[in-house]
Every structure is written in C-alpha cells, then in structure tokens.
Amino acid sequence: MKTINSFIKLGTCKPQLAFSLTLLALAGCSVAPLPQLNPTVPEAWRSSRSYNEPPRPELTQWWQAFNDPELNALVSRALQKNLNVAEANERLRATRILSKHAQSPHLPTLGIKTHDAVSPDTSTSYFLIGFDAQWELPLFGAKQSADRLANGHKALVKADLQAVLVSLVAEVSSRWVELRAAQQLETTLSTIQKIQREKLELLLIREHLNLTSSSDIASARAELARSEMALTAPRQTINRTTQQLAVLVAQSEPEATWLQRGPQPKLGNWQLSSLPADLLRTRPEINSAEAQVLIAAGELGMSRADIYPHISLGTSLQWSLNIASNRKRTRTGDSILSAGPGISIPLFDWGQRVANAHAKDHQMQAAVLAYRQTVLQGVAEAEIALGNLELLRLHERSSLQALAESQKRLDALKRRASLGLLSELDMDNARIDKLQIQQQVANANAERSIAYIALYKALGGATLPTAPLKDAY
C-alpha cells in the first residue's frame, strides 16, 4: 500500500482528487498474483531419430502426410458438419457473450419505488416516489479478479472446443485407415479363398485318378472353410467403420463411395524431430489446465476482496405529491435529495471469509499442481506414441523385406513349374504364402498409420473450421 501512504503526505491535493486516487489504489490492492507456470519438459524426444531436414507436416494439416485426397475431403467435411463441433462452438459463443459483461456486476444500479402514505390523523394522503442509485466500487482487486474469471472460463471453453476438434480429426483418420485396411484384407482373403477352391477342385480330380488320399481332400476342404470364415472379420469392420464415419460427418447412412475399394493410405518415410515445448503447446488438456489455474486465481482474488469492507457510493431522491387533503392549507408536494458514500464492514462472518480465502489459495495451488501433472502426462503420452511409431516403422520395414524374399521364392518356383519340375498344388501354396506376407505388410502399414494418428492426437494437432467463429452478438 505504498501508493496510499505517499499520497497522504501530499497535503496540497484537493479532497476530490485525494478520494479518487485512493479508490484507484484500493482497486488494484490485494490482487492475487498469478503463479509462474514453468513445466519441466525434456529437451528432445528420446524415441526420435536425427535428420538433417526432418519431414514434419504442420500441426493443423498433419493428416495430409497420407497424400490421400479422399481423407483430406472427409476431414474437411467433418470439421464443418460434425454435431459435437457445432455444440462446442455454441458453448464458446455463449461464453464469449458473457465474458463481455464481466464487469457488469460492478456497474451502478438504479431502483424506483412508489407507494401511498396516509398521515396519522387521516387528514392527508401522499403519493411517494423514490429513486435510489448505488454503485459498489470494485476495490481490493475485485475488478481484475472478475476479468481473470471471465478470461479463464473463455479459455476453458476454447480448450474444450480444441479437444473436440483433435478427437474428431483423429477419429476420422483412424476410421478411414481401418476401412481401407479392412477392404485390403477382404480382397486378399477373397483371393486366398479362390485359390483354396481351385486347389480343392484339383485335389478332387487327383482323387478321381487315385493320385491323392481322402485326408488331403478333407484338409483342403477345412482350409477353404477357414478362408470363408476369415472373411467375416473384415466385413464387420467395413460395416462398423462406414457407419462411424457417417456419424462423424452428421449423416444417417454411409456413402456408397466409401464401400468402393481404394488404395490404403501410406505414411511413407515420415519421422518427427522437434522439442516437446514447441509441439505440446497446442495440446488441449494443457490449455484446459492452464485455464483452470487462471480461474482459480480469479476466485482467490474475489475471496480476498470479500474480506475487506465493501465501499459504495449512493444517492436517493424522494418526492411526494399531496393527492387528498382535508386541511385548508397543506403543501402540495416536496422532494428530498441525499447522496454520500456507504461502507459495509464484515464483522461476525469475517473469520468465515478469511477461511474461504485460505481455501481458495490451496485450490489455486492444487490447480498449479494439476497443470504440471497434465504437462508430464502429455510428454509421456507423446513419447510413448513416438516410440510406438518408430518401432512400427521398423516392423513395416521388416515385413517389406519378408515380402521381397517371398517374391523371389515365388519367381524361382515359377521357373521350376515352367520346366515341369513343380506341380500346380505347390504353386498354389506358394501363392497363398506370398498373399499372407503381403497382408502382413498391409497390416504393418495400417498399424503404423494408426500410431502416427495417435502421436498427433497426443500432441493436440488439429485445425479450426474453415468458417470463422463469430459471436451471436
């Protein structure tokens, strides 16, 4: 309170100026300080390789790394039409409208009241009308704390919107990758089923010529039945993912184009190399925790301001009109004007207010600890996702090597078959082996794509809708 003490020594100041400066000093007094949020993050990712020029898609367009125009269009449609995004936008609009009036409770109020008054001897009757105006001054940090509360709630709702966007983009991308992977699996299993049927027909011919046993026929039939059973899983996935995509774009039914088989999204040789502090700033959970700290600081400031006396300025105007009189001489009307400051001092509940301020202080400290925990959890999730992505990259590379060796083996068997040194049954088995390894490559690619999506979801990567968000007023 050095400002007030230095002002009191200036005896030459006018009383009005002195009163105004005192109120300004009290208005900023006792504001709860904002804590320093300095989260501990590692200097670099442990699971990231070093690149001279690492390919890094933008956080707002990370799904374009798949180079899939259909996925890009689907994400854009979801951002524009998803109902959860629309709901979050409406909540943000409502919060923005209310935040503009954060200082409205500290504005002057005006009251009007009327009533009839009859004199005790019933000789006259007056009509009374009164105007009362009062302004409780936002002192002791109440004004700044109200702004913090409004800004904190607005930041919290914006973080909720960002969380919806991040989850939506990740969900659309994941369902699309699962859909294309299931369609690829269905194609491979259908081809295997066709080969198994041809193999059974060939064995039946050989059985008719007494060149094979009944056990070989039974084994071939069992393999054909298993291949037919295996088709159930990808078809269930196709049905589920298409319906989920329809919900994400606010449609009741999937589009027919989704059921048409297309190429599986491929990530390529993508790799991340950047500092956590540079990427985690967009994580909605961290933004939400930071908003909670701001809200807690605002509530602490309001509770501290509630400890001190409440000072107000007020004025009152009372006017009377004689409407009925049995006297010969009586006044027809009169008015009374009064104005002055008022003060409300907490006495008997002062201890409760102090306890409330102490409790709010602990709640703010809890919000700071929750923020730090959220940062640590975000770093851990990103590190885990990045590690999984690197491991699955190595897994995909190994599956590609296995596919290359399988192709070499199949080419060698084809040369032997052309020389009449190999039967068609052996060739069918080799083709099935190659198709199975080829499907393993497709599965590895899909798993790596899902890990890539999980990484950017952990980093809070998303984009705002193309249409700008505007307030309703």
Side-chain angles (χ1 to χ4, degrees):
M1 301 288 291
K2 294 182 179 180
T3 305
I4 296 179
N5 294 334
S6 60
F7 161 74
I8 294 175
K9 296 178 182 180
L10 300 178
T12 58
C13 295
K14 296 181 179 180
Q16 295 86 350
L17 179 60
F19 183 70
S20 301
L21 293 178
T22 302
L23 292 181
L24 290 176
L26 292 175
C29 184
S30 187
V31 180
L34 284 175
Q36 295 292 330
L37 300 179
N38 297 320
T40 302
V41 294
E43 295 182 356
W45 299 111
R46 290 188 300 103
S47 304
S48 177
R49 296 186 303 157
S50 298
Y51 286 87
N52 294 329
E53 293 182 358
R56 176 190 174 191
E58 293 292 335
L59 283 173
T60 56
Q61 302 290 332
W62 56 265
W63 55 91
Q64 293 187 2
F66 291 111
N67 296 319
D68 191 334
E70 292 185 82
L71 175 59
N72 298 339
L74 193 60
V75 170
S76 298
R77 286 178 55 191
L79 290 173
Q80 295 175 1
K81 297 184 177 181
N82 183 263
L83 297 181
N84 289 333
V85 173
E87 177 187 355
N89 279 332
E90 293 300 328
R91 296 184 186 280
L92 180 57
R93 289 187 178 99
T95 304
R96 285 180 172 177
I97 293 172
L98 294 176
S99 64
K100 294 179 180 179
H101 303 277
Q103 296 299 329
S104 294
H106 301 140
L107 297 178
T109 60
L110 177 64
I112 302 176
K113 59 182 179 179
T114 62
H115 67 278
D116 294 333
V118 181
S119 62
D121 58 359
T122 67
S123 59
T124 58
S125 178
Y126 289 90
F127 173 74
L128 301 180
I129 182 171
F131 299 89
D132 296 316
Q134 188 176 8
W135 177 29
E136 184 175 334
L137 304 177
L139 305 178
F140 305 106
K143 181 179 183 300
Q144 294 86 340
S145 299
D147 289 335
R148 286 179 180 176
L149 282 172
N151 294 331
H153 285 294
K154 185 166 63 175
L156 184 62
V157 177
K158 287 182 65 177
D160 292 339
L161 172 60
Q162 186 68 11
V164 172
L165 294 172
V166 170
S167 178
L168 173 64
V169 175
E171 190 77 8
V172 171
S173 303
S174 298
R175 299 293 83 80
W176 183 255
V177 169
E178 290 178 4
L179 173 62
R180 288 309 192 200
Q183 291 174 342
Q184 176 66 36
L185 177 59
E186 183 186 25
T187 301
T188 301
L189 293 178
S190 298
T191 305
I192 292 176
Q193 181 188 30
K194 180 180 178 181
I195 295 176
Q196 292 286 8
R197 186 176 290 107
E198 294 174 354
K199 180 180 177 181
L200 177 60
E201 293 175 354
L202 182 59
L203 287 174
L204 289 174
I205 296 174
R206 297 186 67 177
E207 182 188 29
H208 182 71
L209 299 175
N210 295 324
L211 297 176
T212 187
S213 64
S214 58
S215 61
D216 293 336
I217 299 296
S219 176
R221 285 175 175 168
E223 291 177 356
L224 177 60
R226 284 194 295 267
S227 63
E228 293 176 350
M229 291 170 53
L231 283 170
T232 303
R235 289 170 180 172
Q236 287 179 331
T237 302
I238 292 172
N239 179 61
R240 172 178 55 82
T241 52
T242 51
Q243 194 62 52
Q244 290 173 338
L245 286 172
V247 173
L248 293 174
V249 295
Q251 295 181 184
S252 59
E253 295 182 356
E255 293 189 2
T257 56
W258 299 345
L259 298 175
Q260 299 176 1
R261 297 175 182 176
Q264 187 172 342
K266 294 183 179 180
L267 189 58
N269 192 27
W270 183 91
Q271 182 69 19
L272 175 69
S273 178
S274 182
L275 294 178
D278 181 41
L279 293 176
L280 289 176
R281 68 179 186 273
T282 58
R283 185 175 168 89
E285 291 83 358
I286 294 179
N287 294 332
S288 178
E290 187 174 355
Q292 292 287 3
V293 173
L294 188 59
I295 292 174
E299 292 178 348
L300 174 59
M302 297 297 290
S303 64
R304 287 186 179 181
D306 202 34
I307 296 175
Y308 298 96
H310 292 194
I311 301 175
S312 61
L313 300 177
T315 181
S316 175
L317 174 63
Q318 302 292 332
W319 183 73
S320 63
L321 175 65
N322 188 353
I323 59 176
S325 176
N326 295 326
R327 298 178 181 178
K328 293 182 179 180
R329 294 182 179 180
T330 182
R331 302 177 63 178
T332 59
D334 203 354
S335 62
I336 300 176
L337 176 65
S338 61
I343 184 170
S344 175
I345 303 176
L347 293 178
F348 299 104
D349 62 342
W350 187 79
Q352 181 182 1
R353 299 189 184 198
V354 172
N356 184 47
H358 289 319
K360 294 296 183 183
D361 184 40
H362 288 293
Q363 290 178 1
M364 188 183 72
Q365 297 301 324
V368 173
L369 294 175
Y371 171 81
R372 295 175 180 173
Q373 177 65 24
T374 303
V375 173
L376 293 178
Q377 184 176 356
V379 172
E381 289 183 10
E383 192 68 69
I384 291 173
L386 186 59
N388 291 338
L389 183 60
E390 176 63 16
L391 292 174
L392 290 173
R393 185 188 66 83
L394 299 176
H395 176 67
E396 183 183 13
R397 186 176 66 179
S398 299
S399 64
L400 289 173
Q401 293 175 353
L403 179 61
E405 296 299 327
S406 175
Q407 184 63 47
K408 292 180 182 179
R409 176 174 176 271
L410 182 60
D411 293 339
L413 292 176
K414 286 181 179 180
R415 288 193 295 269
R416 294 186 61 185
S418 63
L419 298 175
L421 302 176
L422 199 66
S423 66
E424 287 295 327
L425 289 176
D426 295 331
M427 287 299 301
D428 289 340
N429 293 331
R431 292 189 185 97
I432 292 176
D433 290 339
K434 182 199 171 182
L435 287 172
Q436 291 175 344
I437 296 176
Q438 185 176 345
Q439 185 56 47
Q440 292 176 359
V441 173
N443 293 338
N445 179 267
E447 291 175 357
R448 182 171 175 239
S449 298
I450 296 296
Y452 170 82
I453 296 170
L455 172 62
Y456 269 95
K457 183 178 181 181
L459 295 175
T463 183
L464 293 175
T466 55
L469 182 64
K470 297 181 180 179
D471 294 340
Y473 299 96

